[in-house]
């Protein structure tokens, strides 16, 4: 693997049933399809049109159907399927889509609106794989410089072990490829729920230091309470 691609490596009976369902919904991890509520779906239908409901329920059904595949020996196939699934969404710049220079959408916003840019694909894939049981230690949202695009770019990377060559899940490519096959990428930093790694420096920090991640996390928590 080229040195430039050593991405940093590294958690009454009816009333009782209704209460249990409400508690389960409240406990759903933010960003997961299981945190969808009818109220949240309704809000996104109001924002993005009736088709948003079909997309959101389709997202939920897709992940539910794949939960049996979340086993270590099946993870490569699962990565490929999730990468292709989310890559079907439209690519839209933040200015075009949200009217701002930089915006990190929640998975529900990305799915409901059927579009986003590179970080939105990466975030949706990250939370989908977490929901399917892939340990977050294997997943990193990675910020790179792309010679192919002549600009900054974000994609998801996967490490089977801390020492493994990462696999790249990129909205520009439906195939999941090892980093050695992507010489166009020069890593800058990567992060997950646990830490931030700066390429080539070995420094770590907390993901909360990334402003857009903090804002995303706050919106995820509001969604989970809706």
């Amino acid at each position: 693997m080229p040195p430039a691609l050593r991405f940093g490596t590294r958690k009454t009976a009816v009333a009782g049933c209704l209460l249990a369902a409400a508690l389960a919904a409240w406990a759903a991890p933010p960003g997961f399809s299981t945190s969808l509520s009818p109220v949240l779906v309704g809000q996104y239908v109001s924002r993005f049109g009736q088709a948003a409901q079909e997309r959101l329920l389709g997202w939920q059904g897709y992940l539910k159907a794949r939960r049996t595949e979340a086993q270590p020996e099946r993870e490569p196939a699962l990565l490929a399927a999730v990468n292709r699934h989310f890559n079907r969404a439209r690519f839209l710049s933040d200015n075009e889509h949200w009217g701002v220079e930089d915006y990190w959408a929640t998975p529900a916003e990305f799915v409901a609106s059927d579009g986003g840019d590179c970080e939105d694909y990466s975030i949706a894939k990250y939370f989908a794989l977490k929901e399917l049981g892939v340990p977050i230690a294997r997943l990193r949202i990675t910020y790179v410089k792309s010679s192919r695009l002549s600009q900054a770019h974000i994609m998801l990377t996967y490490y089977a072990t801390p020492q493994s060559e990462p696999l790249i899940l990129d909205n520009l490519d439906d195939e999941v490829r090892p980093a050695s096959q992507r010489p166009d990428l020069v890593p800058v930093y990567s992060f997950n729920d646990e830490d931030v790694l700066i390429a080539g420096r070995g420094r770590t920090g907390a993901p909360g230091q990334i402003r857009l991640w903090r804002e995303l996390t706050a919106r995820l928590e509001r969604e989970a309470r809706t």
Side-chain angles (χ1 to χ4, degrees):
M1 176 171 56
L5 287 176
R6 294 189 184 278
F7 296 80
T9 60
R10 239 277 122 192
K11 308 214 105 28
T12 65
V14 171
C17 289
L18 291 173
L19 177 60
L23 291 173
W26 181 267
F32 286 10
S33 72
T34 49
S35 68
L36 278 178
S37 70
V39 172
L40 184 61
V41 171
Q43 289 177 355
Y44 284 131
V45 167
S46 296
R47 287 178 65 185
F48 304 118
Q50 190 60 44
Q53 178 173 336
E54 182 178 352
R55 289 192 290 265
L56 287 168
L57 296 181
W59 167 49
Q60 193 173 56
Y62 175 81
L63 293 180
K64 183 177 180 180
R66 289 204 168 270
R67 281 177 194 146
T68 58
E69 300 175 35
Q71 302 170 22
E73 65 274 14
R74 295 186 180 182
E75 280 183 4
L78 186 61
L79 297 176
V82 167
N83 189 57
R84 288 193 302 269
H85 177 79
F86 287 102
N87 281 1
R88 296 183 305 181
R90 299 173 299 161
F91 181 89
L92 296 168
S93 71
D94 287 333
N95 275 320
E96 179 183 7
H97 197 27
W98 306 109
V100 296
E101 188 67 29
D102 208 357
Y103 183 84
W104 290 11
T106 69
E109 287 177 311
F110 175 69
V111 171
S113 66
D114 189 34
D117 65 1
C118 58
E119 69 269 8
D120 303 320
Y121 292 92
S122 303
I123 289 164
K125 294 170 190 178
Y126 175 75
F127 281 98
L129 290 167
K130 278 177 56 180
E131 182 173 347
L132 292 172
V134 177
I136 61 172
R138 298 179 189 168
L139 301 170
R140 302 195 70 81
I141 296 171
T142 303
Y143 181 100
V144 301
K145 294 178 181 178
S146 169
S147 61
R148 174 179 170 183
L149 300 173
S150 299
Q151 65 182 43
H153 184 52
I154 293 179
M155 72 274 171
L156 185 65
T157 50
Y158 166 90
Y159 297 79
T161 71
Q163 292 75 38
S164 295
E165 177 181 12
L167 300 178
I168 307 297
L169 287 74
D170 191 348
N171 66 289
L172 300 177
D173 192 346
D174 283 346
E175 298 299 318
V176 175
R177 302 184 190 278
S180 57
Q181 294 182 16
R182 295 296 307 273
D184 57 308
L185 304 176
V186 178
V188 179
Y189 70 88
S190 67
F191 67 96
N192 58 21
D193 286 308
E194 296 181 337
D195 60 25
V196 178
L197 299 179
I198 300 175
R201 299 186 190 179
R203 282 209 319 246
T204 62
Q209 72 193 57
I210 303 171
R211 176 184 59 82
L212 289 164
W213 183 255
R214 289 198 310 272
E215 294 173 358
L216 169 69
T217 300
R219 279 183 278 113
L220 288 170
E221 291 173 350
R222 287 198 295 272
E223 285 184 349
R225 294 194 299 268
T226 299

